Amino acid sequence: MHGAYVLDLQEVDETQVSVVGGKGAQLGALSRIEGVLVPPGFCVTTEAFRRVVAGAPPLDALLDRLSRVDPDDREAVRTLSEEVRRTVEALAVPDDLAAAITGALARHGGQAAYAVRSSATAEDLPTASFAGQQDTYLNVVGPVAVLRHVSRCWASLFTERAVTYRGRNGIDHRTVHMAVVVQRMVSPHASGILFTAHPVTGDRRTATVDAGFGLGEALVSGLVNPDVFTVRNGEVVARAVAAKRTALRALPDGGTQEVPVEAGQQEQPALTDEQAVGLVRLGRRIEAHFGRPQDIEWCLAEDGFQIVQSRPITTLFPVPVPETGDGDNRVYVSVGHGQMMTDPMKPLGFSMWQLTAMVPMREAGGRLFVDVTPRLASPATRDGLLEALGKGDPLVRDALETVLGRDGFVAPLPDPGPVAPPAGAAAAAAPAPAPIETDPGIVGELIERSRESIAALERGIRAKSGPALFDFLLEAFEEHKRVLGDRLNMQAVMAGMDATWWLNDRLEEWLGEKNAADALTLSAPDNITSEMGLALLDVADVIRPHAEVVAFLQAVGVGDDDFLDGLAKVAGGAEARDAVEAYLDRYGMRCVGEIDITRPRWRERPATLVPVLLDNVRNFEPGAARRRFEEGLQKARQKERDVLSRLRDLPDGDRKADETKRMIDRVRTFIGYREYPKYDIVSRYFVYKRALLEEAGRLVRAGAVPEAEDVFHLTFQELHDLVRTGRPADPELIRRRKEAFAAHHALTPPRVLTSDGEALTGSYRREDVPAGALVGVPVSAGTVEGRARVVLDLSEADLEAGDILVTAFTDPSWSPLFVGAAGLVTEVGGLMTHGAVIAREYGLPAVVGVEGATRTIRDGQRIRVHGTDGYVEILS
């Protein structure tokens, strides 16, 4: 019986989290690794915890109340969690359980000193580190004190921060149980923390060791500054020795005390270089056992290093698995930063993007990356790659130049690498296609071709199901790529971009004017994305005269996606519904994060558009769309006249003016089409999605998956196999994928990632901005001052006239919001990304690529956006 309550550490391994908690399971596993010393001890199992709390009526009632408390109501959480802890600590420990614990103590040395450490079943998991949420008690002496501290550990399951964490993450308080680890106390000379990968850069080949004198708790709790050793390839490459004035020591009768460090020792390193290197070698052995980088707590006593904790480092961005296993260094560029979608994607989403993309892509952390190593290594393609990616996002270029600056990381290729364009700036980074005539008919022809191809797709897919659907889709993906890679399509996209760059470069050189193309491209024709924003103003015009319709829409909540049925029943509602329906027919395939096919489209969640519609009703007068377009057109024409007249006054002015006129005509012909290929992709995606969801419905009816949307957590290939074989989906795989997707949200994807795991964001390296300003890429000229509205979710937007939109990234789905904004600031983007193109279309001063903008700028602050010079000032 006692075996159910107490297990020796040597009897435990990492599979027994439900029995001994995360910490106990890790320590048991550590104690089995050859050459790793772990202080001896035992675990009081979760069975013991359940036994003690079972049938305690006051506790049951308290847990019921706790489950109903808002995790953000700090006062309520504090009061109730304190009451739960007092109740748990007061529970009597049954005699047989107490005997099992004291018997284990006798085997390990009854009067020795122990560390008593809580070990919950939901801590230190690969996807969620709960470090520091439960308690550890050091230097506990004697069976009575150990039993009292075991009760305290049980109670620490309900600390305020643990209760809040579980509440915010949807973890039921009753499903988490507490084991307790009781270990022989080590009185160390030094202790600290070892990260087997660099915790800031993510570099997997570099380890860091934090070290201090005495017990490690002083260092973990921030009581003292540690010495920091950086170790790479078996040697200390950097060392920072801190002044260590105090240390935490164990007292003879139990407990710990902060003691001063002798003056002569304060500046001495807590470890020698040889010890730091030896410790990292030990850490590598532990890392190899667990299969991922570790955050390890260690202490150094007479008999060498002892390991008292090891947990995965959950903040590191995963490294893509290379296509070849040759072990060569690789450099990856983020696709999401080029596509304006840095959120994680579900497996069906990223696998379908891989299947329809023009270049091979690798997945990591739910994001996609392109391996640019061959193009960086070849002198023939390196400069073109850096130039193209730099135009898209200067931070990507800087990060790549940082990698190239490291001796030997990218081995140079003698011959040209394969000439395939990277992602994001895919078209831009490809060899430039031959120029085409400035003929508006070309754009019309391309749009017509796209419409015909999508109509054929819709006709062809209609009757397809089962394996035949997947055969059809694999052929459709080839047509998808053929349309995108069509020579004329690429030429038209590049013509608009090249003309923009030409105008900006020449007019700055000739007239000293920055970003002149911004004004010259206002209200350019054939821009599907800016038309989408203006069309929603027209829908608002239909709604505005009907007070009952406005009142009805004000009552529509998030998720009320059947509101259109009810809308038709109020006065003026039928007309309003028809206007919304017509809008959805044209643009309903769009949504935020639309490159992920699993994201709900506007047609599926029309309530998403209601807040933006109501903003338009409130902030605009009738006919605003037509007026906005016309005003932009007049400004562009006036700018053209002004530029050409100033050029003619220059030496060789007629030639300069004639060349510029040709480029203005060219940019206005082609720049609007820049947005169309994405519209084509997303239109196709919605056709694919509807067919796949119908197939998922059949799988649900056949009992192969519990819910249709579970298929989003399978790759396209896995879903194909499921349909082909008729076997049910593995519920465990889907559960793990859902957990991984949730964990991926906590990771920040880097612009550039190396095969060593080093995440590089790049720097602007500019000295022409005021101190304290936030630096970014100038993408739409002008200066504007106003109230910052930090909007992270389109459905929660609430803009007033004159507000400046601040957000992480904008894809085309955000453009209806641009209509009502006075300026734009985003964390991601470049000169030719969607947000930049639309900001210029609408004449909004905009700065993109502002690192950390949504964290640094607070909602409601007054800011000034310098769209010509590329920086943002916070004024209040």
Side-chain angles (χ1 to χ4, degrees), residues 201-222:
T201 68
D203 186 347
R204 307 306 201 263
R205 292 193 195 182
T206 301
T208 65
V209 177
D210 289 13
F213 294 124
L215 293 166
E217 233 58 25
L219 194 142
V220 173
S221 62

Side-chain angles (χ1 to χ4, degrees), residues 186 267 515 684:
V186 180
E267 307 279 348
N515 300 336
R684 289 173 194 278

Side-chain angles (χ1 to χ4, degrees), residues 521-721:
T521 53
L522 287 168
S523 299
D526 299 312
N527 187 319
I528 188 79
T529 310
S530 65
E531 286 167 8
M532 178 170 76
L534 297 175
L536 205 62
L537 286 177
D538 290 335
V539 177
D541 285 356
V542 176
I543 289 167
R544 196 178 290 104
H546 305 290
E548 282 186 47
V549 172
V550 174
F552 178 89
L553 291 176
Q554 283 167 339
V556 171
V558 177
D560 294 347
D561 291 310
D562 54 359
F563 75 92
L564 289 168
D565 299 336
L567 182 60
K569 296 172 185 149
V570 303
E575 192 189 347
R577 183 197 59 192
D578 291 348
V580 175
E581 285 285 1
Y583 186 84
L584 291 172
D585 287 344
R586 182 101 166 97
Y587 304 111
M589 77 294 287
R590 310 221 82 147
C591 67
V592 173
E594 61 193 8
I595 69 168
D596 181 353
I597 197 170
T598 72
R599 290 287 192 102
R601 312 283 134 177
W602 289 344
R603 174 48 87 185
E604 296 168 309
R605 298 258 179 94
T608 307
L609 290 171
V610 170
V612 191
L613 257 177
L614 289 170
D615 280 353
N616 287 351
V617 168
R618 186 176 68 243
N619 294 334
F620 291 93
E621 295 294 317
R626 193 180 62 256
R627 270 198 313 282
R628 285 287 292 266
F629 189 81
E630 200 50 45
E631 282 166 12
L633 200 55
Q634 293 311 322
K635 281 182 188 164
R637 284 173 179 158
Q638 180 54 50
K639 183 69 178 176
E640 180 181 330
R641 287 193 292 272
D642 169 57
V643 162
L644 296 176
S645 132
R646 285 160 62 202
L647 285 172
R648 287 204 168 88
D649 291 340
L650 298 176
D652 197 18
D654 286 345
R655 179 190 63 82
K656 289 172 179 168
D658 290 346
E659 278 186 29
T660 301
K661 171 64 176 153
R662 278 200 300 277
M663 280 300 176
I664 291 172
D665 291 346
R666 192 165 180 77
V667 83
R668 291 197 64 80
T669 299
F670 291 114
I671 199 63
Y673 182 72
R674 162 77 182 82
E675 291 293 295
Y676 205 88
K678 187 75 168 276
Y679 178 76
D680 178 283
I681 292 171
V682 177
S683 299
R684 289 173 194 278
Y685 263 37
F686 197 31
V687 179
Y688 308 152
K689 181 179 187 178
R690 283 185 293 199
L692 287 171
L693 278 175
E694 279 184 32
E695 198 58 40
R698 284 188 275 275
L699 290 172
V700 171
R701 291 190 291 279
V705 290
E707 292 174 35
E709 291 198 355
D710 284 346
V711 304
F712 293 165
H713 295 280
L714 301 173
T715 65
F716 181 83
Q717 296 84 342
E718 289 165 345
L719 181 54
H720 188 180
D721 290 344

Side-chain angles (χ1 to χ4, degrees), residues 52-64 87 91 174:
V52 170
V53 300
L59 186 61
D60 247 19
L62 283 170
L63 289 180
D64 278 342
T87 306
L91 294 173
R174 292 172 193 276

Side-chain angles (χ1 to χ4, degrees), residues 719-740:
L719 181 54
H720 188 180
D721 290 344
L722 204 65
V723 170
R724 196 168 38 77
T725 61
R727 286 198 298 267
D730 175 1
E732 183 57 23
L733 173 70
I734 289 174
R735 185 192 64 76
R736 285 201 310 272
R737 293 274 176 81
K738 286 178 177 178
E739 276 184 6

Side-chain angles (χ1 to χ4, degrees), residues 430-510:
I436 49 174
E437 292 302 308
T438 302
D439 175 6
I442 291 172
V443 171
E445 180 192 336
L446 285 166
I447 289 172
E448 191 48 44
R449 274 194 211 174
S450 163
R451 283 180 185 148
E452 285 170 8
S453 175
I454 290 167
L457 171 67
E458 287 175 325
R459 285 193 303 274
I461 208 166
R462 245 170 233 151
K464 300 288 188 293
S465 66
L469 169 66
F470 287 84
D471 294 340
F472 176 85
L473 282 172
L474 288 168
E475 284 181 28
F477 296 165
E478 292 311 307
E479 166 68 1
H480 180 125
K481 289 195 274 192
R482 190 198 64 72
V483 170
L484 280 182
D486 176 80
R487 183 178 173 80
L488 191 63
N489 182 54
M490 301 289 276
Q491 287 173 316
V493 168
M494 287 308 298
M497 288 162 61
D498 285 339
T500 302
W501 291 323
W502 189 96
L503 286 165
N504 280 339
D505 291 348
R506 293 295 184 283
L507 296 180
E508 183 162 11
E509 180 192 333
W510 292 338

Side-chain angles (χ1 to χ4, degrees), residues 7 43 204 209 213 251 319 345 535 565 582 687 718 816 818 831:
L7 288 172
C43 298
R204 307 306 201 263
V209 177
F213 294 124
L251 295 170
V319 181
M345 297 164 81
D565 299 336
V687 179
E718 289 165 345
F818 287 19
L831 190 65

